[in-house]
């Protein structure tokens, strides 16, 4: 038995990298379709967005992230935009407070709109200006939120395609941030707190959040107080939202996050096993060394 | 299986593999991809800031103000631009002190603007969420609320350094450490999940977009 613990202690870390790589690749090629348990923060966000269909107020989806966090956050953005478009909720897609987000918003926009229009080729197609609008990057961070809160059209007079916001169906009545039904900030940084601080506290606009798993723990405190209306946390949150879309409004598309959850589960099990074995090995070897001296 | 015919997908796959080659050992291909990434990121950022900020918010408005003979518009753009340019005085040893002015303006603006909403969002609402719960012994939520209250109070005790951590204070602070450790554990677990998600995202790209092995 001692040989086994000694082997573990001296194991080259590259074997662990390989094992983690295989734990990801094998479930992706041979999925075992692990069930997705849906948690209240995701349901609350889904329900809030769904309720906007009755109010007619637009939903603002902010892609406040860069390519480094897109595997977790892209599926969230796509799922939220799909949901809103399926329910005819007008959407304002905004790249957020830093320039990288604009590229992400363009990518997500193109992907979902192409997908929706392809699906609805003989029915209602999704039309720019009537169903969604894409805002450009505006430098200024906090000043942008406050500017939008006071006068939306003055802060962003034109959309990303050079049209006046006053001429577009989605934005013509959005004179200030308060005319927006809900802001969903999808971000891997602390920016959702900034939106909360200014959009919610100052202008009373509800905010929901989609965030990376790293930031999720921090945001539970704001969910508990009801400051965020709901949250998607990490790839699991995105998978939950995809599941809700499929179960409740029959959105049948490739569920990127749900597919990934098999690999996620496999790696988690592997990590739990190596953490336990690593700890046992540490204590056994420590005891063994103490005996020898 | 349908391998991509898109050159950009092949380039992205090549760069992904070169970056992951570091896991085996440091090598020249990894160094190449790393430097390419840094160079491309900086170049992209400069181009974006130049076109979307400098041109759009300084050069174009100044041109417009000059053409329309709009003196107020001209001043409203010129003054913040000069304040911003003062940052560059840091490159001179004798004139470096000028950079304190734009720093003072920025600090003053952001501090003034954020004090009220920051306190309201991060302190008042959080304290309210901790104490304003009507206790009902039959409800599980009430017990969670009580646990939350105990967690907040004991953790505050742990971070209270004006009194020696001995006796009642020491014992309460020890309970606080347990709460802090559990919070760190939850946070670390989430961090592992996030890092694994990034790996999954790249592998999905390689298997789906590049090699077409998975649907």
């Amino acid at each position: 038995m001692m040989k086994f613990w000694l082997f573990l202690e001296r194991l080259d870390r590259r074997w662990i990298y390989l094992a983690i790589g295989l734990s990801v690749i094998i479930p992706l090629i041979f999925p075992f379709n692990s069930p997705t348990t849906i948690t209240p923060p995701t349901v609350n966000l889904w329900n809030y967005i769904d309720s906007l269909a009755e109010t007619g107020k637009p939903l603002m989806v902010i892609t406040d992230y860069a390519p480094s966090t897109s595997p977790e956050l892209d599926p969230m953005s796509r799922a939220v935009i799909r949901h809103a478009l399926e329910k005819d909720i007008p959407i304002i897609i905004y790249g957020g407070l830093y320039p990288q987000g604009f590229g992400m918003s363009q990518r997500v926009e193109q992907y979902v709109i192409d997908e929706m229009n392809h699906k609805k080729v003989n029915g209602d197609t999704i039309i720019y200006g009537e169903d969604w609008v894409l805002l450009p990057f505006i430098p200024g961070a906090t000043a942008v939120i406050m500017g939008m809160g006071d006068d939306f059209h003055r802060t962003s007079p034109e959309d990303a395609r050079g049209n006046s916001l006053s001429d577009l169906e989605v934005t013509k009545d959005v004179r200030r941030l308060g005319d927006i039904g809900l802001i969903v900030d999808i971000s891997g940084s602390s920016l959702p707190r900034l939106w909360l601080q200014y959009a919610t506290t100052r202008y009373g606009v509800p905010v929901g959040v989609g965030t990376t798993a790293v930031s999720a723990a921090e945001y539970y405190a704001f969910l508990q107080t009801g400051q965020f209306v709901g949250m998607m946390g990490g790839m699991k949150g995105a998978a939950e939202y995809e599941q809700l879309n499929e179960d409740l409004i029959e959105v049948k598309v490739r569920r990127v996050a749900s597919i990934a959850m098999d690999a996620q589960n496999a790696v988690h099990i592997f990590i739990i096993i190596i953490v336990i074995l690593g700890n046992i090995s540490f204590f056994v070897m420590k005891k063994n060394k103490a005996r020898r001296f | 299986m349908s391998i991509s015919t898109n050159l950009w997908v092949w380039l992205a796959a090549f760069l992904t593999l070169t970056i992951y080659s570091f896991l085996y050992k440091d090598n020249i291909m990894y160094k190449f991809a790393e430097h390419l990434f840094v160079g491309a990121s900086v170049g992209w950022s400069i181009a974006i800031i130049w076109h979307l900020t400098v041109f759009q918010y300084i050069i174009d408005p100044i041109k417009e103000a000059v053409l329309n003979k709009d003196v107020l518009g001209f001043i409203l753009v010129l003054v913040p631009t000069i304040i911003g340019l003062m940052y560059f005085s840091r490159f001179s040893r004798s004139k470096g002190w000028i950079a304190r002015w734009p720093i003072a303006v920025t600090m003053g603006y952001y501090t003034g603007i954020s004090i009220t909403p920051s306190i309201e969002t991060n302190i008042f609402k959080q304290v309210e969420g901790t104490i304003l719960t009507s206790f009902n012994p039959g409800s599980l939520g009430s017990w969670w609320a009580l646990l939350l209250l105990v967690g907040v109070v004991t953790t505050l005790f742990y971070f209270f350094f004006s009194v020696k951590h001995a006796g009642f204070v020491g014992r309460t602070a020890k309970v606080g450490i347990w709460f802090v450790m559990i919070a760190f554990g939850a946070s670390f677990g989430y961090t592992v999940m996030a890092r694994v998600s990034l790996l999954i995202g790249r592998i999905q790209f390689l298997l789906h977009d590049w090699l077409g092995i998975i649907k």
Side-chain angles (χ1 to χ4, degrees), chain A residues 22 45 130 138 156 173 281:
Chain A
L22 290 174
L45 183 65
E130 285 179 26
I138 311 158
S156 178
D173 295 327
S281 165

Side-chain angles (χ1 to χ4, degrees), chain A residues 24-25 28 67-68 70-72 107 235, chain B residues 8-9 11-17 19-20 195-210 214:
Chain A
V24 171
I25 293 169
L28 285 177
S68 57
S70 66
E72 278 185 287
R107 201 171 73 151
M235 202 167 255
Chain B
W8 294 109
V9 171
L11 183 66
F14 168 73
L15 291 171
T16 301
L17 293 174
I19 289 289
Y20 279 133
R195 301 295 176 245
V196 171
S197 299
L198 300 183
L199 173 66
I200 294 171
R202 278 294 83 192
I203 302 279
Q204 272 188 325
F205 166 76
L206 293 175
L207 298 181
H208 176 74
D209 298 355
W210 182 42
I214 59 168

Side-chain angles (χ1 to χ4, degrees), chain B residues 128-170:
Chain B
E128 195 181 303
T130 308
I131 59 175
L132 287 184
T133 311
S134 54
F135 189 77
N136 171 13
S139 148
L140 192 65
S142 291
W143 290 103
W144 283 120
L146 187 67
L147 186 70
L148 183 77
L149 182 68
V150 171
V152 171
V153 172
T154 54
T155 305
L156 285 173
F157 260 87
Y158 175 69
F159 286 106
F160 188 65
F161 301 117
S162 303
V163 176
K164 194 181 176 190
H165 283 196
F168 173 74
V169 176

